[in-house]
Amino acid sequence: MIDLVVRGDAVVTPQGVGAFDLAIAGDRIVAVAAPGSLPVLDGARLIDATGKIVMPGGIDPHVHCKWFLPNPDGTAGLTDPPDIVSRAAVHGGTTTIIDFTRCSQGASVQDAIARREEDWKGHSACDYAQHLMVEGALPVTLFAQLAEAIQAGFPTVKIFTTDITPSRKGRMVDFGDIWEVFQVLAANGGVGVIHSEDNDIVMHMYGKLIREGRPEFVNLAEVHNTLSEDISFRRVIRLAEQVRGTALYMMHTSAASGVSAIREARARGVPIYGESLHQYMLYTNEDYRRPNGQIYHTYPSLKSVEDQAALWAGTLDGSINCVATDEICCTLKQKIQGARIDDTTGGNAGVEPRVALMYTEMVGRRGYSLSRFVDLVASNAAKLMGLYPRKGALAAGSDADICVLDPGDRRVIRAADLHEADYTPWEGRQMLAWPCLTMLRGKVVMEGGRFLGGLDDGRWQHRKVASEIISGPCL
Ligand SMILES: [Zn+2]
């Protein structure tokens, strides 16, 4: 029994873009058919998306909700919870977001997972999943728990190779422990999702700039620099190559040196994939000098025009596979409260405009195909994070997670019109399309800018990464 048909003339399917009818029964797509070839029975709704773009719902594989936010005075707060971030995601055509569970926040990994689920269950308007974050000196009991969690649907493990700032000691995992985690990943079909910077270089530069009386945040690119990304990426990759079957996803790649390290490893057959962030694609360290320049920052740091060009080139040669946000949803006051290299707030608000912004930049301004754009904002994340083809595809059997983008809606982004934070790093940007409808598992949760969903719509997603992703670079 078909409940709903979405008819479009630019429907982005895994087989290509064209005119199709998507038939939806319950929460699934049950057929992708020639227009008009399916019977739309009484009681079924026909959504006519002619002239619009029909694509899988966006997937943001890197968001932080209800997240520890250090203040410059040493106290800490929490960023906005899933209640707000997931709703903003839905407004922007994103239907799945992946956050982080800190394994240290429980008696065991399993306990930490159960506690984190309490933050999400009944608090999310979109579907969600969790990366497992390991930090600091890893207890020997952790490895067996990680293996169990990977098998239970949490196949991605976040690892830091740096403490990021001098005040955040306790995040960095040493290379011996990373080696042990890689063995667990390889044996269980997991993927290492890495925050990779060379801690020695980064901490050396903090000391040097503070000594030289140059602690202003505009100098962040000197601290979290391209040399650090070069050395650290290559060291992590070298370690992974010693543990056969270790797949890597390099989070927030920011520099040409990182892109090169990924590209060269892929040429050797290493199963490695790159993520960059929307702000790294579109801002440089020169933007730190603009008013409230902290709003463009997230760690590691914005880099040069040349680095930015390398990130874009990476989206064409396969070394950059996903564009995420590193969402940290907080107020402008919190985002700009730190103004030093060692206390500037990281992360960025952007889960809502990400899909439209990337459509504008990729399809509108750079001539990317609709398929490549959809790969970069949805399908590749689904594949790498173990959600495909349930998510990230308009295909029979897939969840009916759909974003309809309207190229007739050429709005200018204003923070006041968005549903996250009280600022946006994209203020004043002209868009070339905007989502006019979002569907989550067959339910229309946003239409014409009106939120029609609920905070109990979102479901945790069991994930399993396909063996092709792990056996070699396949995207
Ligand atoms: Zn992050």
Side-chain angles (χ1 to χ4, degrees):
M1 173 68 187
I2 295 169
D3 303 310
L4 191 61
V5 172
V6 180
R7 175 168 298 164
D9 50 5
V11 181
V12 186
T13 77
Q15 285 75 35
V17 182
F20 296 105
D21 281 0
L22 301 176
I24 294 154
D27 56 5
R28 298 280 178 98
I29 297 169
V30 293
V32 180
S37 64
L38 296 163
V40 183
L41 299 174
D42 284 351
R45 182 181 173 194
L46 173 68
I47 295 174
D48 186 358
T50 306
K52 301 185 172 70
I53 294 141
V54 180
M55 59 179 278
I59 299 174
D60 189 340
H62 189 162
V63 305
H64 301 269
C65 297
K66 207 173 174 182
W67 198 250
F68 174 77
L69 184 73
N71 299 316
D73 65 6
T75 63
L78 288 172
T79 69
D80 283 340
D83 312 59
I84 290 172
V85 176
S86 66
R87 199 176 146 126
V90 161
H91 274 285
T94 286
T95 49
T96 303
I97 55 183
I98 309 183
D99 197 350
F100 297 81
T101 290
R102 298 178 68 183
C103 294
S104 59
Q105 304 302 299
S108 64
V109 173
Q110 282 63 36
D111 183 44
I113 287 170
R115 286 166 186 251
R116 188 60 165 154
E117 176 66 5
E118 287 174 23
D119 291 336
W120 279 84
K121 195 175 170 59
H123 293 275
S124 184
C126 65
D127 284 348
Y128 59 91
Q130 304 284 336
H131 301 293
L132 300 175
M133 179 182 282
V134 296
E135 298 164 273
L138 304 184
V140 288
T141 50
L142 179 91
F143 303 104
Q145 295 166 10
L146 272 185
E148 186 187 327
I150 291 168
Q151 300 291 347
F154 296 84
T156 47
V157 179
K158 170 82 181 277
I159 306 168
F160 296 94
T161 64
T162 176
D163 285 324
I164 309 175
T165 68
S167 65
R168 299 187 198 182
K169 290 264 182 288
R171 293 194 179 205
M172 182 174 77
V173 179
D174 74 34
F175 261 65
D177 280 344
I178 297 176
W179 191 16
E180 296 291 338
V181 174
F182 283 0
Q183 291 172 58
V184 173
L185 294 172
N188 292 279
V191 174
V193 300
I194 318 290
H195 179 133
S196 183
E197 295 188 84
D198 187 87
N199 197 62
D200 288 352
I201 297 275
V202 168
M203 294 304 158
H204 171 78
M205 292 307 292
Y206 273 113
K208 179 177 160 71
L209 264 64
I210 289 166
R211 227 170 25 247
E212 292 175 356
R214 299 193 294 126
E216 303 84 11
F217 78 92
V218 294
N219 301 317
L220 269 162
E222 286 186 58
V223 179
H224 296 270
N225 59 35
T226 58
L227 177 63
S228 158
E229 189 155 318
D230 184 28
I231 291 172
S232 182
F233 273 42
R234 289 173 189 281
R235 192 169 178 227
V236 168
I237 291 166
R238 183 73 181 145
L239 185 63
E241 284 186 89
Q242 302 307 311
V243 185
R244 222 181 145 66
T246 305
L248 298 178
Y249 176 80
M250 307 305 282
M251 284 193 147
H252 46 51
T253 304
S254 67
S257 56
V259 177
S260 296
I262 294 170
R263 185 188 297 121
E264 289 167 27
R266 289 169 67 89
R268 295 195 299 275
V270 178
I272 181 170
Y273 305 90
E275 169 196 277
S276 195
L277 304 178
H278 60 351
Q279 66 268 39
Y280 293 163
M281 308 301 290
L282 296 168
Y283 292 118
T284 70
N285 60 324
E286 291 301 317
D287 290 297
Y288 286 140
R289 300 188 181 282
R290 293 166 64 186
N292 294 336
Q294 298 100 314
I295 66 175
Y296 308 107
H297 173 69
T298 196
Y299 295 96
S301 74
L302 295 164
K303 301 288 195 307
S304 69
V305 178
E306 292 74 27
D307 290 299
Q308 189 183 71
L311 295 174
W312 280 106
T315 64
L316 294 174
D317 69 21
S319 36
I320 297 295
N321 308 98
C322 301
V323 178
T325 57
D326 203 347
E327 179 85 3
I328 285 283
C329 193
C330 67
T331 62
L332 176 64
K333 186 163 174 271
Q334 289 170 309
K335 185 63 181 155
I336 64 170
Q337 63 184 351
R340 289 168 52 99
I341 48 177
D342 53 1
D343 67 7
T344 295
T345 300
N348 244 274
V351 76
E352 182 170 354
R354 184 187 67 116
V355 169
L357 179 70
M358 285 301 132
Y359 170 86
T360 300
E361 293 294 333
M362 290 174 176
V363 181
R365 302 225 160 94
R366 288 172 176 80
Y368 283 27
S369 68
L370 283 171
S371 295
R372 184 173 292 271
F373 150 69
V374 167
D375 283 347
L376 287 160
V377 299
S379 307
N380 285 349
K383 290 173 181 172
L384 294 171
M385 299 304 152
L387 292 161
Y388 196 85
R390 190 170 78 248
K391 304 291 190 190
L394 299 181
S398 297
D399 283 356
D401 293 351
I402 298 172
C403 166
V404 180
L405 268 182
D406 181 3
D409 186 346
R410 301 191 156 210
R411 69 180 63 190
V412 171
I413 294 184
R414 301 288 176 210
D417 298 332
L418 300 178
H419 303 82
E420 56 180 330
D422 57 352
Y423 81 96
T424 170
W426 309 109
E427 187 75 31
R429 288 235 172 198
Q430 167 89 58
M431 295 295 98
L432 298 179
W434 195 260
C436 60
L437 184 141
T438 306
M439 188 184 298
L440 177 69
R441 280 180 281 101
K443 176 179 175 182
V444 175
V445 287
M446 187 282 289
E447 189 165 11
R450 286 197 317 137
F451 179 69
L452 303 171
L455 292 175
D456 52 5
D457 286 339
R459 295 274 176 277
W460 172 74
Q461 297 296 306
H462 181 282
R463 298 182 291 128
K464 181 171 175 34
V465 180
S467 58
E468 308 89 89
I469 296 291
I470 291 170
S471 57
C474 78
L475 295 178

